[in-house]
Amino acid sequence: MQFPESWLRSFCNPDLTTQQLADLLTMAGLEVEELDPVAPPFTGVVVGHVLEVAKHPDADRLNVCKVDAGTGAVLQIVCGAPNVRPGIKVPCATVGAELPPGADGKVFKIKLGKLRGVESQGMLCSARELGISEEASGLHILADDAPVGVNIREHLKLDDTLFTLKLTPNLAHCLSVAGIAREVSALTGAPLTLPAIEPVKPAIDATVPVKVEASDLCGRFAGRVIRGVNPQAKTPDWMVERLARCGQRSVSPLVDISNYVMFELGQPSHVFDLDKVKGGITVRWAREGESLKLLNGNTVALDGQVGVIADDAQVESLAGVMGGDATAVGDDTRNVYLESAFWWPKAIAGRARRYNFSTDASHRFERGVDPAPTVAYLERITQLILDICGGEAGPVDDQVVRQAERQPVTLRLSRAQRVIGMPVSREEVETVFTRLGLAFTASAVEGDVHLTVTPPSWRFDIQIEEDLIEEVVRVIGFDKLPKRAPKAPVVSEVRPEAQRSLYAVRRAVAARGYQEAITFSFVEARWEADFAGNADPIKVLNPIAAPLAVMRSTLIGSLVEVLRTNLARKADRVRLFEVGRVFRRDASVVDSDQTVGGFDQPVKVAGLAYGPAEALQWGVASRNVDFFDVKGDVEALLAPRQARFVAVEHPAFHPGRCARVVVDGRDVGVIGELHPKWRQAYDLPLAPVLFELDAAVLAERVVPSFTSVPKMQSVFRDLALVVKDDVAHEAMMAAIAAAKTEGLVKGARLFDIYKPKAPVQGMADDERSLAVRVELRDDEQTLTDERIDGAMKAVQAVLAESVGARVRG
């Protein structure tokens, strides 16, 4: 929130410098983000009165002006501004004046000079030349009553300072100058003087029938009719100045008055053109199919989640957010309906962001606006309208539909002392509550003092005991807290040997030559459909960008996008990995401190390899990375555990080059080459190979255990087997392991594949020869030829029965 220091001091003026005041607010939780002067330093500029204007004899666009600058003599000044004319009062820089630096960064000094042969004894200034605004279309015209010769800094109060506060959402009561003044008064004890608000006596009987249908939308609604206003009246300079210094430009007197009271007291309001309102007014939730053209020109579709103000014909305003274009006030407006209401914060929260914009009104209403002085706010706006625009006001129609209840909150003095960390007396706490306007009662309970506070109507943030403790310590001063080092013992926790951290997992993947990528958890819906086959992803309620609208259920899409970014920068060999959460619907997940009911959020480790298998070198021939290169990386990451790779179909991968990874009988991930259609769709010259594994499995570590060295030597036998082409390696290994050999077979390894190019006797066209080396050992005694031959016959029998293998002749 931005406001001028002078406005704040008109309500509460403590004996503090500007910097001390800023430090006080920051230490009280109202962080002062910036302190900016209203105008940069300059000297020698006064109020000048233009007496005469004549054309320059040698320049069509220049004028020779006679100016009274209060020096006792009339100055001759050459001016090229298009809006110069006799009778106006403007800033006049006299000879010797120093203006703010220009684009070159140098101070601009006014000297006695000649322009096209005519002497100029000064300079008439625009607002931009003085640094008070960006307006540069002409001279900065002052009010007619501006005293000639007075320093312009004094006249325009340019030595003021702009405060910019960064307020947290719980400080809704500080979203106005009066609210901040109330805080300053409580913090310093300086007297608080707010504007006196007197009820406006009705001069007419005109009213508009109002019906509030939704008590969960609107708790209080007040309105009144004002007839005979002049919408083309001039907004007073003091109001325009204060609005500008709050960052709000002047629009029209009716709109300016509404905005002014919002910044002054924190109550947004809206002014309807009464002649455009058809019938009565209804406050309700919108209906499906309704739409509204807003003041910003946007037409929005409405539904039952949005509150509206409607007349008998159509919707006229988005409740608590923005008015509609149909009933906007303009130059032809003569009669208005003034509305001031209390909208429940939950009914307004997020409604403006839903339509991709934000307003000052919605910013305040969704945090909480004091409902108690709603009518007083209305009276303040009414009086300003009558004073500036004229007219006659009708009676106030105030409908209190549902009161905002405040539950009492109790502070225990002993607990406050423990939390604050220093002794705090009952008198100090009571003084703080009194300054803050918190009504309380005190009682003694079991030797302790209990102070029960009923929060005032403007404090939506006081709900628990800790809120009261925070109020106490921030008013006393955080700088008063004792500086003590923590005394808690530092105990290091030893990670179990069977686990390793995700950092260790990251280092292990990086050691395989992969670079870590960090991407958003929200992705494009297209990625979910393409790479996960997810037609119903979890949607983000308020995405930071339109494409990033869903939560990812796989890391594959993110890595493919990072690959595309690297390829766009001429990278030809890319190795990427990411460790991150994915998000999936799972009805079995219940709410807890670390989980959200209905959603599973496991951590995954995904990797991508693209381009040459090895960096450019002379030692080996160049080739592109393939499935087996990445399979080797996965096996290394899982080692010493043995992983099985079982063929599977996956929406992201090539149908024949994809496998699920199985460890200890459970699926732990997937590996595969990107599907050709996605390679083409995402403009990839080559197909990358990717894997995605459960991080929990990679974090598991096999604890080494003692195994004695075998006493007996192993015996190896080779088998040359003829099998059909479709027989899988895994099926063969499983058959060998299942053979009844009294435990003699300790392992088997495929070491050769032979597929003849021409027909060979004893082998059909759809067959091939596989050479397998079988390891046999008995740990207790030496193997005999009879036992070895028996075991090998058992292996051959199982192979023949299971996979149709026969020994090659």
Side-chain angles (χ1 to χ4, degrees):
M1 178 181 171
Q2 179 179 302
F3 61 91
E5 180 184 2
S6 59
W7 198 358
L8 173 64
R9 289 188 181 274
S10 69
F11 293 158
C12 182
N13 190 14
D15 187 18
L16 300 173
T17 65
T18 298
Q19 188 59 53
Q20 289 173 334
L21 179 59
D23 294 341
L24 174 75
L25 290 173
T26 298
M27 291 305 296
L30 285 71
E31 180 185 352
V32 178
E33 195 171 28
E34 292 181 12
L35 284 176
D36 296 315
V38 169
F42 60 82
T43 60
V45 183
V46 298
V47 176
H49 184 203
V50 179
L51 304 176
E52 298 178 12
V53 176
K55 285 291 183 182
H56 191 290
D58 293 328
D60 294 337
R61 296 186 178 181
L62 296 179
N63 296 292
V64 180
C65 306
K66 300 296 184 181
V67 180
D68 179 8
T71 59
V74 176
L75 304 179
Q76 178 176 282
I77 298 176
V78 178
C79 176
N83 63 338
V84 66
R85 63 183 186 274
I88 63 173
K89 293 182 179 179
V90 295
C92 177
T94 57
V95 173
E98 293 185 352
L99 299 186
D104 59 358
K106 297 181 180 178
V107 174
F108 186 66
K109 295 184 178 181
I110 303 300
K111 301 177 182 178
L112 184 66
K114 290 186 177 181
L115 290 176
R116 294 289 184 94
V118 177
E119 185 178 81
S120 183
Q121 300 169 331
M123 174 180 172
L124 304 183
C125 304
S126 68
R128 186 174 185 178
E129 288 164 339
L130 297 180
I132 58 180
S133 81
E134 292 300 315
E135 180 60 43
S137 59
L139 300 177
H140 182 58
I141 299 177
L142 304 173
D144 293 339
D145 59 353
V148 175
V150 172
N151 189 300
I152 202 72
R153 298 193 70 91
E154 177 185 343
H155 175 65
L156 295 180
K157 301 177 182 177
L158 299 182
D159 292 322
D160 203 353
T161 302
L162 297 182
F163 277 59
T164 301
L165 269 56
K166 186 177 182 181
L167 299 176
T168 51
N170 63 311
L171 296 175
H173 59 287
C174 295
L175 287 170
S176 66
V177 179
I180 298 168
R182 185 194 294 123
E183 290 293 303
V184 173
S185 177
L187 294 168
T188 63
L192 177 66
T193 306
L194 296 179
I197 301 175
E198 297 294 335
V200 174
K201 186 177 180 181
I204 58 177
D205 296 331
T207 60
V208 173
V210 176
K211 181 180 180 182
V212 180
E213 294 183 349
S215 61
D216 56 342
L217 168 64
C218 179
R220 186 174 187 179
F221 190 95
R224 82 183 325 160
V225 172
I226 305 177
R227 293 190 178 277
V229 298
N230 176 16
Q232 299 184 37
K234 185 177 183 298
T235 304
D237 291 338
W238 59 267
M239 183 177 289
V240 173
E241 172 197 295
R242 283 185 171 178
L243 287 173
R245 294 179 184 181
C246 289
Q248 179 69 50
R249 66 181 180 86
S250 175
V251 179
S252 68
L254 292 172
V255 175
D256 292 346
I257 292 168
S258 176
N259 287 334
Y260 179 82
V261 174
M262 177 181 66
F263 286 114
E264 180 185 53
L265 302 176
Q267 170 69 46
S269 59
H270 187 62
V271 183
F272 295 86
D273 188 324
L274 180 61
D275 297 328
K276 298 177 182 178
V277 176
K278 301 174 180 62
I281 285 178
T282 303
V283 179
R284 58 175 172 81
W285 294 103
R287 304 185 181 105
E288 291 289 342
E290 289 185 323
S291 63
L292 172 65
K293 184 178 181 181
L294 298 169
L295 288 173
N296 61 8
N298 295 343
T299 299
V300 296
L302 308 176
D303 58 29
Q305 300 299 314
V306 180
V308 298
I309 300 175
D311 60 19
D312 292 347
Q314 61 185 357
V315 175
E316 300 295 357
S317 176
L318 205 57
V321 178
M322 184 181 288
D325 181 71
T327 54
V329 295
D331 291 343
D332 299 328
T333 300
R334 292 295 176 266
N335 307 306
V336 299
Y337 181 76
L338 181 61
E339 165 262 314
S340 177
F342 168 69
W343 307 99
W344 293 103
K346 288 184 179 180
I348 304 302
R351 270 55 174 190
R353 291 189 296 276
R354 178 178 179 180
Y355 297 112
N356 299 319
F357 66 86
S358 180
T359 64
D360 288 319
S362 65
H363 184 76
R364 286 162 173 77
F365 279 126
E366 64 186 8
R367 286 160 175 77
V369 171
D370 185 4
T374 299
V375 173
Y377 296 148
L378 195 69
E379 298 285 6
R380 172 68 169 162
I381 300 170
T382 301
Q383 189 60 62
L384 289 172
I385 290 177
L386 297 181
D387 292 343
I388 297 170
C389 302
E392 296 178 320
V396 174
D397 176 20
D398 180 26
Q399 298 191 33
V400 180
V401 183
R402 179 179 153 206
Q403 294 278 14
E405 298 179 359
R406 296 287 187 269
Q407 298 298 325
V409 182
T410 299
L411 178 142
R412 294 166 290 176
L413 187 60
S414 59
R415 174 164 172 75
Q417 292 172 343
R418 289 198 304 272
V419 173
I420 295 173
M422 70 177 187
V424 179
S425 68
R426 171 178 173 175
E427 290 72 21
E428 287 177 306
V429 175
E430 290 179 346
T431 300
V432 169
F433 288 169
T434 302
R435 283 187 176 185
L436 291 172
L438 305 180
F440 65 91
T441 59
S443 60
V445 180
E446 297 179 356
D448 194 6
V449 176
H450 287 202
L451 299 171
T452 301
V453 172
T454 300
S457 58
W458 66 84
R459 294 301 297 268
F460 286 78
D461 58 316
I462 298 179
Q463 299 178 2
I464 58 176
E465 183 177 16
E466 283 71 15
D467 295 330
L468 292 176
I469 296 174
E470 179 186 3
E471 295 299 302
V472 171
V473 70
R474 74 184 186 87
V475 173
I476 291 177
F478 289 105
D479 55 328
K480 303 293 194 301
L481 295 177
K483 298 177 182 178
R484 293 196 297 263
K487 297 181 179 180
V490 179
V491 180
S492 60
E493 294 185 1
V494 179
R495 188 181 299 276
E497 191 176 358
Q499 292 182 358
R500 58 178 174 178
S501 68
L502 284 179
Y503 293 103
V505 173
R506 287 184 171 93
R507 288 192 290 270
V509 183
R512 305 296 302 175
Y514 292 78
Q515 297 285 333
E516 185 173 11
I518 301 175
T519 63
F520 288 125
S521 295
F522 23 85
V523 299
E524 295 186 30
R526 175 191 175 191
W527 300 355
E528 282 296 293
D530 293 350
F531 301 124
N534 187 1
D536 185 25
I538 301 169
K539 295 181 179 179
V540 180
L541 293 179
N542 185 27
I544 62 171
L548 307 179
V550 301
M551 303 301 293
R552 65 187 179 190
S553 63
T554 177
L555 303 178
I556 294 173
S558 300
L559 291 182
V560 170
E561 183 62 22
V562 176
L563 170 63
R564 295 180 66 200
T565 301
N566 279 268
L567 294 180
R569 286 154 180 77
K570 305 302 181 183
D572 61 347
R573 184 176 185 273
V574 180
R575 299 291 186 277
L576 299 167
F577 82 95
E578 181 172 8
V579 180
R581 290 192 182 277
V582 297
F583 305 85
R584 300 165 180 170
R585 288 187 171 87
D586 187 345
S588 65
V589 179
V590 297
D591 269 322
S592 70
D593 293 339
Q594 297 181 338
T595 60
V596 177
F599 298 95
D600 187 24
Q601 305 176 54
V603 178
K604 297 286 185 178
V605 177
L608 177 149
Y610 174 91
E614 301 289 343
L616 185 64
Q617 58 162 307
W618 58 269
V620 295
S622 178
R623 66 175 181 83
N624 289 325
V625 68
D626 60 20
F627 176 92
F628 297 100
D629 293 315
V630 179
K631 175 176 175 285
D633 291 333
V634 172
E635 289 177 324
L637 294 174
L638 292 169
R641 289 173 296 176
Q642 296 293 322
R644 293 172 47 234
F645 297 85
V646 182
V648 71
E649 290 189 3
H650 190 280
F653 297 130
H654 192 297
R657 301 173 188 174
C658 173
R660 56 187 174 92
V661 184
V662 181
V663 175
D664 299 332
R666 54 178 173 155
D667 291 346
V668 299
V670 65
I671 178 175
E673 180 183 300
L674 192 68
H675 199 292
K677 66 180 179 181
W678 304 137
R679 180 182 68 80
Q680 183 178 8
Y682 288 85
D683 299 322
L684 301 177
L686 301 172
V689 182
L690 302 100
F691 68 85
E692 186 174 60
L693 304 172
D694 292 337
V697 175
L698 290 175
E700 296 173 359
R701 184 160 47 184
V702 177
V703 178
S705 59
F706 171 76
T707 302
S708 61
V709 177
K711 298 179 181 178
M712 304 300 172
Q713 293 183 347
S714 296
V715 175
F716 297 92
R717 292 289 186 268
D718 294 343
L719 285 175
L721 303 170
V722 177
V723 297
K724 294 289 185 181
D725 288 339
D726 60 355
V727 173
H729 169 268
E730 184 179 7
M732 287 188 57
M733 296 299 107
I736 294 173
K740 296 180 180 180
T741 60
E742 300 178 354
L744 297 184
V745 174
K746 301 299 183 183
R749 183 177 294 273
L750 175 69
F751 67 88
D752 185 43
I753 300 176
Y754 172 65
K755 178 71 174 178
K757 296 180 180 179
V760 175
Q761 186 176 2
M763 290 182 62
D765 292 342
D766 62 346
E767 292 181 329
R768 57 182 174 172
S769 174
L770 305 178
V772 179
R773 178 161 294 172
V774 181
E775 180 184 4
L776 302 100
R777 186 178 68 246
D778 187 334
D779 295 331
E780 301 298 331
Q781 57 185 328
T782 303
L783 291 175
T784 62
D785 289 339
E786 291 78 6
R787 296 183 68 191
I788 295 172
D789 292 342
M792 293 304 297
K793 287 179 180 179
V795 169
Q796 294 175 32
V798 170
L799 287 171
E801 180 181 352
S802 299
V803 298
R806 67 179 186 276
V807 178
R808 182 179 172 188

